[in-house]
Amino acid sequence: MCGILAVLGCSDDSQAKRVRVLELSRRLKHRGPDWSGLYQHGDCFLAHQRLAIIDPASGDQPLYNEDKSIVVTVNGEIYNHEELRKRLPNHKFRTGSDCDVIAHLYEEYGENFVDMLDGMFSFVLLDTRDNSFIVARDAIGITSLYIGWSLDGSVWIASELKGLNDDCEHFESFPPGHLYSSKEGALKRWYNPTWFSEAIPSAPYDPLALRSAFETAVIKRLMTDVPFGVLLSGGLDSSLVASITARHLAGTKAAKQWGAQLHSFCVGLEGSPDLKAAKEVADYLGTVHHEFHFTVQDGIDAIEDVIYHIETYDVTTIRASTPMFLMSRKIKSLGVKMVISGEGSDEIFGGYLYFHKAPNKEEFHRETCRKIKALHQYDCLRANKSTSAWGLEARVPFLDKDFINVAMAIDPEFKLIKKDQGRIEKWVLRKAFDDEEHPYLPKHILYRQKEQFSDGVGYSWIDGLKSHAALHVTDKMMLNAARIFPHNTPNTKEAYYYRMIFERFFPQNSARNTVPGGPSVACSTATAVAWDAEWSKNLDPSGRAIFEVHQQAYDKQAAPVTSSIVPPEIIDNVPQMKVSTPGVAILS
């Protein structure tokens, strides 16, 4: 991921302003350590910090059209750039960069070209002919982006808060799937899929169509000119990504440059569920596997850096971001610059354990829609900023636009969790890849229960965070929490601890407003908390908060699930759990 910063229409075009823009751009250098660029046209500045993935030699930014009247700074990847170049036969491209098509598409189609882009992106485009500009962010918000307004009337755009929070009177997260036009002075949504209205779809479940759509999504993300690998937790989503990548890597340009053997990466505490499962999947697929260990203390020591880079005080996000942040540093040290990851599947297919309590298919579907719309505030933000902190790029095939269209058109009746029929969470995805003749994964991995990342790296991680926070936040402090933090008041000592750190880095009202709030259980939206009256008594974002669901998969005394979909031997092979306190499960 690259870092972009733009200051547009400021009242000062002096050398001092240029120096300030350079200073702020350097705050984003971790996102793009390979090159820095700055373009000035009158009172407009476009700065770029480059992470070179495609065409490292000549793709430095900003990028231009033929006569340099159109200037663009981009963060992201355009997977269909070769196809788009063919639609621009009369244009001459300066570089081999995938992002080079953007300026030329604007020349041909004006502001309406954005939906033609297949990829993850955020960009600022300046038309020097009339000093107008547009800003756009990808459909789901995989890339991070913020917009701000200064007292002098200028508009500021930055990949992270730290690029604009000290200079803008007001700033906010730039909404996914939107475009800002200086000519209209307003935002408008360019991404308008059928599922966005939350109408209940009725298409029958076609496992082969779903499988094909996801394989296509993974394959297109093998576009790279630098070493890459896959993040492998051993859960369903990352394991499928790894399996498909391993199958299709041979014969690609990446394989010719870097070899056909896939590298995989996992992080966890010693003895964690993820480490064990990931090693098994890696052995099955034949990847070069890299297993990274961290201690609870390692994670605690990194919390301040994590909050500075992730720019949130959300408890769920910080818990999961910390091990990913530590792992990303290790991965980058190996010379790898891009990884493919499994974010987004749980939102699309209702994979979180609380979906077991969905009252009907209508509410199940609406909750998946709500979750996808909020991804930019949670898992996308985590994946983007945890990796970008070390100059590493994360690609997420589950959030491919075409794949989402296929998956979200399925009648949600097929996605419902029905234990009496052996249908566990994400059954439609598991069934799509349950190939007896050419298996993608071992059966018990294909049907492994959901472990949220912050749980799967080791259960003592969350317990350790809570204990550490309790040492720094007193009962007396909690009594005044609503007065100190009236917006999104922290209701636990852990939340209060994170909030104190965040406010030290980002004290502005606008900053705290960029972070979502409201009640949640096991990563649910506030709306879904009402599905079970007991949940409001245990509003913890860990998957273990859905205690009876989480425990059943590990309790050998529970009634066996018998089904042609989930064979009994799979349940028998799941590690047994001991229960020490309500809601806490420990590997035995």
Side-chain angles (χ1 to χ4, degrees):
M1 287 296 168
C2 302
I4 63 174
L5 175 69
V7 183
L8 303 143
C10 60
S11 59
D12 183 3
D13 60 359
S14 67
Q15 182 64 22
K17 191 66 173 183
R18 185 182 181 91
V19 170
R20 177 58 176 165
V21 172
L22 282 170
E23 177 186 347
L24 294 172
S25 180
R26 280 193 288 270
R27 294 184 183 181
L28 308 178
K29 189 171 284 187
H30 53 275
R31 298 182 63 91
D34 297 332
W35 194 255
S36 300
L38 175 62
Y39 172 87
Q40 179 182 0
H41 177 75
D43 59 359
C44 294
F45 299 82
L46 271 63
H48 190 264
Q49 300 289 346
R50 189 183 185 207
L51 177 64
I53 304 292
I54 304 297
D55 187 21
S58 68
D60 296 334
Q61 296 192 32
L63 296 165
Y64 310 90
N65 65 339
E66 291 88 344
D67 63 4
K68 290 194 172 183
S69 61
I70 311 298
V71 190
V72 63
T73 179
V74 191
N75 170 31
E77 304 292 343
I78 309 302
Y79 302 121
N80 64 336
H81 74 103
E82 292 183 351
E83 173 193 329
L84 292 172
R85 284 171 185 255
K86 294 175 183 177
R87 299 173 65 172
L88 299 163
N90 299 322
H91 290 257
K92 293 182 179 180
F93 297 90
R94 295 174 176 272
T95 78
S97 168
D98 55 293
C99 297
D100 210 351
V101 297
I102 292 177
H104 302 276
L105 287 169
Y106 174 79
E107 277 192 293
E108 288 289 330
Y109 302 100
E111 297 177 356
N112 298 320
F113 75 90
V114 181
D115 200 23
M116 299 167 63
L117 302 176
D118 182 6
M120 55 178 184
F121 56 83
S122 49
F123 67 80
V124 180
L125 183 149
L126 174 66
D127 188 338
T128 64
R129 296 170 300 187
D130 59 5
N131 230 34
S132 64
F133 63 89
I134 62 171
V135 185
R137 188 179 184 187
D138 64 68
I140 305 299
I142 302 167
T143 59
S144 60
L145 193 65
Y146 297 86
I147 183 170
W149 295 266
S150 178
L151 287 173
D152 67 359
S154 56
V155 178
W156 293 58
I157 306 294
S159 294
E160 296 183 3
L161 278 180
K162 58 185 69 69
L164 50 69
N165 67 304
D166 289 334
D167 291 72
C168 292
E169 186 70 11
H170 174 77
F171 51 90
E172 57 195 47
S173 177
F174 193 99
H178 279 69
L179 179 145
Y180 178 90
S181 170
S182 65
K183 292 178 180 178
E184 299 178 12
L187 287 155
K188 60 181 178 182
R189 184 154 56 89
W190 63 263
Y191 179 55
N192 297 286
T194 301
W195 64 266
F196 211 88
S197 69
E198 303 184 13
I200 310 304
S202 58
Y205 168 50
D206 183 342
L208 293 182
L210 188 66
R211 181 199 296 186
S212 176
F214 188 59
E215 286 195 302
T216 300
V218 174
I219 292 167
K220 72 174 68 170
R221 282 159 179 80
L222 302 183
M223 179 187 81
T224 177
D225 292 331
V226 299
F228 83 103
V230 294
L231 302 186
L232 179 59
S233 70
L236 172 68
D237 308 326
S238 65
S239 297
L240 282 178
V241 169
S243 178
I244 295 167
T245 303
R247 285 192 179 207
H248 295 281
L249 181 57
T252 64
K253 181 182 176 182
K256 292 174 183 176
Q257 284 185 283
W258 309 107
Q261 192 167 22
L262 182 64
H263 287 252
S264 57
F265 309 96
C266 185
V267 67
L269 304 177
E270 289 277 3
S272 71
D274 280 359
L275 292 180
K276 180 180 178 181
K279 180 65 166 60
E280 183 178 357
V281 174
D283 289 345
Y284 181 82
L285 299 176
T287 69
V288 179
H289 191 56
H290 307 267
E291 184 177 284
F292 304 125
H293 298 162
F294 77 103
T295 66
V296 172
Q297 191 60 54
D298 290 334
I300 289 171
D301 291 344
I303 287 293
E304 290 206 11
D305 284 340
V306 169
I307 292 174
Y308 174 76
H309 280 285
I310 310 304
E311 301 178 327
T312 188
Y313 50 83
D314 176 69
V315 170
T316 314
T317 306
I318 293 169
R319 287 176 176 179
S321 293
T322 304
M324 195 170 191
F325 176 87
L326 296 172
M327 174 173 58
S328 296
R329 189 175 193 178
K330 289 282 191 179
I331 292 172
K332 187 60 184 290
S333 74
L334 297 174
V336 172
K337 297 178 74 174
M338 184 271 282
V339 290
I340 308 178
S341 190
E343 278 77 15
S345 173
D346 292 310
E347 287 73 16
I348 295 169
F349 295 105
Y352 293 106
L353 298 185
Y354 74 89
F355 275 94
H356 281 248
K357 296 295 186 75
N360 51 58
K361 74 173 188 178
E362 291 81 10
E363 189 53 30
F364 188 106
H365 178 73
R366 293 188 187 104
E367 177 70 0
T368 61
C369 294
R370 291 189 291 264
K371 289 293 292 180
I372 296 171
K373 292 175 185 178
L375 264 169
H376 67 288
Q377 298 175 304
Y378 297 101
D379 284 14
C380 286
L381 181 141
R382 166 181 56 79
N384 180 275
K385 293 183 179 178
S386 295
T387 53
S388 294
W390 304 107
L392 181 69
E393 177 175 280
R395 298 180 179 177
V396 284
F398 279 108
L399 298 181
D400 180 87
K401 281 196 301 182
D402 292 337
F403 175 72
I404 292 176
N405 287 341
V406 172
M408 293 302 288
I410 298 171
D411 187 331
E413 179 67 29
F414 294 98
K415 294 181 181 180
L416 283 175
I417 299 159
K418 297 184 177 182
K419 289 184 283 187
D420 59 332
Q421 298 179 27
R423 280 168 45 175
I424 62 174
E425 66 276 355
K426 293 187 286 193
W427 173 80
V428 293
L429 181 63
R430 300 176 197 272
K431 184 62 176 173
F433 287 91
D434 194 347
D435 188 328
E436 296 287 349
E437 189 172 344
H438 301 289
Y440 286 78
L441 294 168
K443 283 276 189 180
H444 62 283
I445 296 293
L446 191 62
Y447 291 98
R448 183 188 177 200
Q449 188 194 48
K450 165 68 181 174
E451 281 287 11
Q452 287 171 210
F453 185 52
S454 54
D455 287 330
V457 296
Y459 296 116
S460 58
W461 166 233
I462 290 176
D463 300 332
L465 284 173
K466 291 178 178 179
S467 297
H468 178 73
L471 296 176
H472 293 267
V473 180
T474 66
D475 293 340
K476 184 179 290 187
M477 292 164 72
M478 289 302 298
L479 288 175
N480 296 320
R483 292 180 173 85
I484 301 296
F485 303 117
H487 176 75
N488 282 347
T489 302
N491 57 11
T492 67
K493 291 184 177 182
E494 184 186 6
Y496 194 108
Y497 178 64
Y498 299 154
R499 185 65 172 272
M500 288 193 299
I501 298 171
F502 178 88
E503 297 267 349
R504 179 153 38 90
F505 291 130
F506 308 105
Q508 300 88 357
N509 281 328
S510 291
R512 63 181 64 99
N513 289 338
T514 64
V515 181
S520 174
V521 60
C523 290
S524 75
T525 66
T527 303
V529 171
W531 289 355
D532 189 318
E534 293 297 312
W535 287 352
S536 60
K537 303 173 185 177
N538 183 29
L539 293 175
D540 190 286
S542 168
R544 291 177 288 163
I546 312 298
F547 175 66
E548 71 278 17
V549 174
H550 186 273
Q551 177 61 14
Q552 281 174 7
Y554 298 99
D555 188 352
K556 284 189 175 180
Q557 304 307 313
V561 177
T562 56
S563 164
S564 60
I565 306 301
V566 189
E569 62 268 20
I570 294 177
I571 302 300
D572 292 338
N573 288 331
V574 176
Q576 187 175 2
M577 308 295 282
K578 292 179 180 178
V579 179
S580 56
T581 56
V584 178
I586 304 172
L587 277 171
S588 61

